[in-house]
Amino acid sequence: MPLAFCGSENDSAAYKVDQGVLNNGCFVDALNVVPHVFLFFITFPILFIGWGSQSAKVHIHHSTWLHFPGHNLRWILTFMLLFVLVCEIAEGVLSDGVADSRHLHLYMPAGMAFLAAITSVVYYHNIETSNFPKLLIALLIYWTLAFITKTIKFVKFYDNAIGFSQLRFCLTGLLVILYGTLLTVEINVIRVRGKGSRYSQGSRAIWCALSHAFGRRLVLSSTFRILADFLGFAGPLCIFGIVNHLGKENGVFQPKTKFLGVYFVSSEEFLANAYVLAVLLFLALLLQRTFLQASYYVAIETGINLRGAIQTKIYNKIMHLSTSNLSMGEMTAGQICNLVAIDTNQLMWFFFLCPNLWAMPAQIIVGVILLYYLLGVSALIGAAVIIVLAPIQYFVATKLSQAQRSTLEYSNERLKKTNEMLRGIKLLKLYAWENIFRAQVEMTRRKEMTSLKAFAIYTSISIFMNTAIPIAAVLITFVSHVSFFKGANFSPSVAFASLSLFHILVTPLFLLSSVVRSTVKALVSVQKLSEFLSSEEIGKDQYSQHELPYKGQSSKSQAVPLKVVNRKRPSRDDCRNFMGHLQKLGPDEEPDDSCVRITGGFFTWTSDGVPTLSNITIRIPQGQLTMIVGQVGCGKSSLLLATLGEMQKISGEISWNSLPDSETGEDSSPERETNTGPDIRKRGPVAYASQKPWLLNATVEENITFESPFNKQRYKAVIDACSLQPDIDILPHGDQTQIGERGINLSGGQRQRISVARALYQHTNVVFLDDPFSALDIHLSDHLMQAGILELLREDKRTVVLVTHKLQYLPHADWIIAMKDGTIQREGTLKDIQMSESQLFEQWKTLMNRQGQELEKETVVIERKNMEVPKGLPRAMSSRDGLLLDEEEEEEPSKRDVTVRSSLPLTEDMAESEEEDNLSSLLRQRAKIPWQACAKYLSTAGVLLLPLLFFSQLLKHIVLVAIDYCLANWTDSALALGPATRNCSLSEDCSFDHRVYAMVFTALCSLGIVLCLITSVTVEWTGLKVAKRLHRSLLNQIILAPMRFFETTPLGSILNRFSSDCNTIDQHIPSTLECLSRSTMLCVSALAVISYVTPVFLIALLPLAIVCYFIQKYFRVASRDLQQLDDSTQLPLLSHFSETMEGLTTIRAFRYEALFQQKLLKYTDSNNIASLFLTAANRWLEVRMEYIGACVVLIAAVASITKSLHKELPAGLVGLGITYALMVSNYLNWMVRNLADMEIQMGAVKRIHGLLKTESENYEGLLAPSLIPKNWPVQGKIQIQNLSVRYDSSLKPVLNHVNAHISPGQKIGICGRTGSGKSSFSLAFFRMVDMFEGRIVIDGIDISKLPLQTLRSRLSIILQDPILFSGTIRFNLDPEKKCSDSTLWEALEIAQLKLVVKALPGGLDAIVTEGGENFSQGQRQLFCLARAFVRKTSIFIMDEATASIDMATENILQKVVMTAFADRTVVTIAHRVHTILNADLVIVMKRGAILEYDKPEVLLSRPDSVFASFVRADK
């Protein structure tokens, strides 16, 4: 049966329009198709972009994915619409069944409407989840068109007397109603969301600001780009003109027009001259390359400026971010760093690629028009091949982007685990857990490698398509041209001009995927930026410069509340009503001597969380020492931060009243934060030392002075008070030594003391110190308390607030605040608490290990503090420290050497091991290409891949040259044997037979396409294999390295090998290697072809090659150095962001926001200048190389024209030579650029191979496993015989001829001053140090004969620094998965953590964040104790394990150790000497030798005992 849209009957009225087209039913139905076709064409590209690229999708949080207005109504209406359309389709099919021919117009519009309705809901869902309501304009137009066309149809039905008795009339009426309702819903969505969408409004505002600031420069760049693209078409046109001129029988130019006796040349005749065209081609190339590079430079310069502006805006926002948002997961530091490092760069690259958005369409249109002019319809076939394959290329590019994102996620996870492994390497070695954590890293690496395989596959497909599509397009075009169009012109001029045009046309189509992805990424980045910039802020200080009123006077100047505006917080009227009567007291009270007063304060960290601090009513006296005490986790640190305004205040009042400033003499007045009216807050700077020390990546001096003017006398006093002089003396550059990021090259105590020294040095009236003694031993703590807090601060009448667990310092306090479970238990003087809270006072007295009468006389102590303390005490302490330094220099030079080497990466030893990390070593190797590193990289691939890689590349380019040579011969033959040159009669077939040439050309092209696939896969497979082998070797080598290696090598340096260097090897080297080999082979083959066509070109080649050599040499050196400069200026910028986020509370406490913003501007300028220099260098290279390429084109063209005019060269080879000369111009700069990139990237291979030479620990033992008892050691008997220990064979001993005997089950306490060898003594049990003399025998077995894994797995140790790993509590306690839950709960109960863990969601499976940051310092230490208890070994070593625990918890733990572990041998290295008073034996060490060794009561009975002096000092 015939098929037609309107039917095929002869007498059909479907084709009659004599009464008007709208009265023709078929036409009205055809009109109804238009809206649906419109929707398909509009929405499919947007959906393709949205689905194709994961990077294009906005990350949806459930709290931020809001339904558009009318969401549910839309879905109901859409389902109704689908049902009605199904009915309409069925009605149309039935109606058509009775006709003689098929009338598609009866049901096809309804079918398309059905598909369009489904498309509309899919499109709507994507727009809604991505929160882009403006894109709903497409649906608005669709509903409008559908409503109009259906209404026309309904009206025409009515005009023709069709009524409700007809089903089609009813269905059409229902559709009109449904389309009209959906149109109304769409208008409402766009109206409401267009105005009310915060994110879209923010995004629009950002785009407007960017276009206003940088729009003109972008227009200039686009103008240059369009001019360059149009000039690019001069190449194909000139090739056509030159070869066409030479292809004629008489190639000599003869002017035809003669006036006044002379010949005149017309413009056509002038442009037909081959030499003229060669010169014009040369000039056009010069202009085109100049305009192109100018466009690139202007665009990238604009992008760099834009990046700097956005980074500054982000930083300014960080300064006002709410602390709760930053610390509670609303906005993590990682997300902000991604904004700075990734999203700003994506916007920069978008602006760089932006001119392509309008230049590429123009280039494609002009290219297709010219191809059509040359080849006719067959050109459209070739262009269609490229255009059809372009979406596949885009699809591959989006998949590549997805694979890259997936790889990045796995890479981040691997780096997180590697970072944890390296940070806890000492613990892993001591517990023999290296293999467990290595397996974890390898498991994540396997996932990463799976993703990398996908990345490699898509990369190889992308490379393959880049090279294969032009070949396929040319093949299909030319074969179809000669096959289907018999009389068509196929001369060399047409063929090679078309070939050149195809090369031009392919470039923008391939770039299209990159431009679209960059545009989508930019849209997403701007939206993320908008979300960040609209996040909650802490209030800004807004107050007048004159004095605020005192004693309740009225004020015209009021400030914005210093609190976070919380839109989601539930009502807390109960808190407000409870404290309402207290808040009314504020303005009418008489001023007192309080520096800070909090009345009825309820504070929380999270917007909807329960109050962390409840019913806080305290005062902090002016100019006095206030101490805040309480158990771990009771809210002491939170109270300090609430006072500084860093917590969210639910209710209550904070009043500040500062002393007259010591420098200006001006008075500050009380400022209040109230809940009932506008808050007024004008607090001055507060010197704040946080519990977790925060240090700048700067010198020691800069960390202490902290932007304050340098005062030598005060600086020296602060250094002395914090006992930093001995530490400064051992640093390689004294106080000018650069502290690494986060103080990585300092010990915990050193970081703590520098942080406290900063607070002591400042000239602020108020000083907040949060647990400054946690990482200090008793001598340092006493000295800091006496010389620092009591003398430097309190004698200056500065208000000091001290959070501490050291209850022995309570007699020094003027005011005490005792906290419990987030509330104030009691406040007052020590005497007040003794009178009113005798139970609490007795508890303190017990914990301090002091006699009752001493505390009862605290009033006398306070009175004598300023009178009877010997003036020489600080000096005496200093001299004692000086003596201590002398002792340390004699005792532990190796430790001192360790500190020196780890404190600064650029020492001599480090320069040898980390040669590529040192700029000076880079400069020494400036002119050398790292051929050795290249050889190591390629040899790692193996013997099979390497020859395949080389020969496939060589063969591919030979075939590519053969294809073009075949084309030259083919066209020459067609020209020579064509109808114009053959005298044949009308009866003869004068057409040229193309079949043989077409078959050969097809075979060569097919072979070339196959070889393109082989080479692309081989390169990526090689890279994958090398990446896998190098990472595995590096991980195995590092994990088995001795501890000495980690002490002398900065952690950041090792981590860089696993992060940036592995990333370079994984993703960058394979693609760079492929680009380098391809561009090099193309240039070589092009020069070979030109030399073959015109051998005279070799004469000109020599000077050009010399010029190229020196240009590339000069550029490579400059590019490497500029790249290094760009990286080195980017690191401080990113570090400044991370430093600021970590120390945001400290910066705001000091009121240093403006200073840090100025530092950011300096870092940003430095990085922008370096980036601009690097860009300028790239433009410098490309301009010169492309000018040289233009010279190559001119020489090749002139030489080949001359040779052809002398009948020595066919026109086809002339076209071949000029085409290849243009190729040299395109690829010459890419060859040099890729060579420079490869040189930089091979540095990663060289650095990793440097680490692979690291010597491993000797894990093998002399004893066979069968000779070691299964439960060894059972008794825990230790014999130390003449033991001498050193950290390295080149260093002096740290333990000298130590002898000791420890009986099974004994409790041994070890004490001694810093550097006496205590920690070295404990490490010797685990063979972590070099035991070069003597031996340790445990239960009859010499530990030096045991395998390391066996030895370390049978002992337990707790280190001073608590180390927790991300994962679960169960994993942190038992990563070997050997213990039952009951054992774990028992260990937690012993460590006083059972209740804490039970309260957590998941219990033992509760999450521990990285570093255990979701637990306090003390709780982390308790988890480490529980971890050691789980192992249940017979020997248990505690190395200052209770340093971060309050004294009450410590006493409980000591009792547990003495009772629950009565049958175990326990060795305790004392942090507080009173903790080992109950030990069976005490060892006192000095200068690496045992000074005293006896029972504690015996040593205490000796008046001259060193141990007794330690105990007296600890009281």
Side-chain angles (χ1 to χ4, degrees), residues 323-324 327-328 603-607 612 638 641 646-648:
T323 311
S324 58
S327 60
M328 296 296 171
F603 302 93
T604 182
W605 283 115
T606 57
S607 301
T612 306
S638 297
L641 294 174
E646 295 290 337
M647 291 185 71
Q648 296 189 33

Side-chain angles (χ1 to χ4, degrees), residues 518-591:
S518 178
T519 305
V520 173
K521 285 180 180 179
L523 289 170
V524 174
S525 295
V526 167
Q527 180 146 348
K528 287 164 66 179
L529 193 62
S530 170
E531 292 177 13
F532 170 71
L533 294 177
S534 57
S535 58
E536 293 173 324
E537 294 185 2
I538 201 163
K540 300 176 183 177
D541 291 345
Q542 296 182 4
Y543 51 86
S544 61
Q545 296 301 318
H546 58 75
E547 295 280 39
L548 288 175
Y550 200 66
K551 297 176 67 172
Q553 296 174 10
S554 62
S555 170
K556 293 182 180 178
S557 61
Q558 293 181 330
V560 183
L562 182 72
K563 63 179 182 180
V564 175
V565 179
N566 180 17
R567 299 180 181 87
K568 298 181 182 178
R569 188 171 66 204
S571 173
R572 292 199 175 92
D573 292 336
D574 51 345
C575 296
R576 296 194 177 97
N577 293 336
F578 177 73
M579 299 314 301
H581 66 284
L582 292 171
Q583 295 169 8
K584 297 175 184 176
L585 300 175
D588 298 324
E589 290 180 342
E590 290 295 321

Side-chain angles (χ1 to χ4, degrees), residues 462-567:
S462 179
I463 293 170
F464 162 68
M465 293 187 74
N466 281 342
T467 51
I469 286 178
I471 301 174
V474 168
L475 171 65
I476 292 171
T477 302
F478 289 165
V479 170
S480 61
H481 184 68
V482 298
S483 301
F484 302 124
F485 306 97
K486 296 294 184 181
N489 180 18
F490 193 57
S491 63
S493 58
V494 170
F496 285 101
S498 302
L499 186 65
S500 185
L501 279 171
F502 273 119
H503 284 298
I504 291 175
L505 193 60
V506 165
T507 304
L509 288 170
F510 287 157
L511 270 178
L512 184 63
S513 60
S514 300
V515 174
V516 172
R517 275 188 294 122
S518 178
T519 305
V520 173
K521 285 180 180 179
L523 289 170
V524 174
S525 295
V526 167
Q527 180 146 348
K528 287 164 66 179
L529 193 62
S530 170
E531 292 177 13
F532 170 71
L533 294 177
S534 57
S535 58
E536 293 173 324
E537 294 185 2
I538 201 163
K540 300 176 183 177
D541 291 345
Q542 296 182 4
Y543 51 86
S544 61
Q545 296 301 318
H546 58 75
E547 295 280 39
L548 288 175
Y550 200 66
K551 297 176 67 172
Q553 296 174 10
S554 62
S555 170
K556 293 182 180 178
S557 61
Q558 293 181 330
V560 183
L562 182 72
K563 63 179 182 180
V564 175
V565 179
N566 180 17
R567 299 180 181 87

Side-chain angles (χ1 to χ4, degrees), residues 1059-1070 1240-1242 1244:
S1059 57
S1060 60
D1061 287 349
C1062 278
N1063 180 59
T1064 299
I1065 293 170
D1066 289 347
Q1067 297 188 25
H1068 298 295
I1069 290 182
I1240 293 170
Q1241 291 166 10
M1242 279 299 163

Side-chain angles (χ1 to χ4, degrees), residues 84-96 107 110 167 171:
V84 173
L85 288 171
V86 169
C87 294
E88 189 179 21
I89 293 170
E91 191 274 342
V93 171
L94 287 175
S95 300
D96 190 39
Y107 49 86
L167 177 60
L171 292 175

Side-chain angles (χ1 to χ4, degrees), residues 71 94 369 416 479 497 715 722 1047 1378 1380 1395 1465:
H71 172 87
L94 287 175
I369 291 172
K416 179 182 172 184
V479 170
Y715 179 76
C722 297
E1047 290 168 344
K1378 290 183 177 179
S1380 62
L1395 295 178
T1465 304

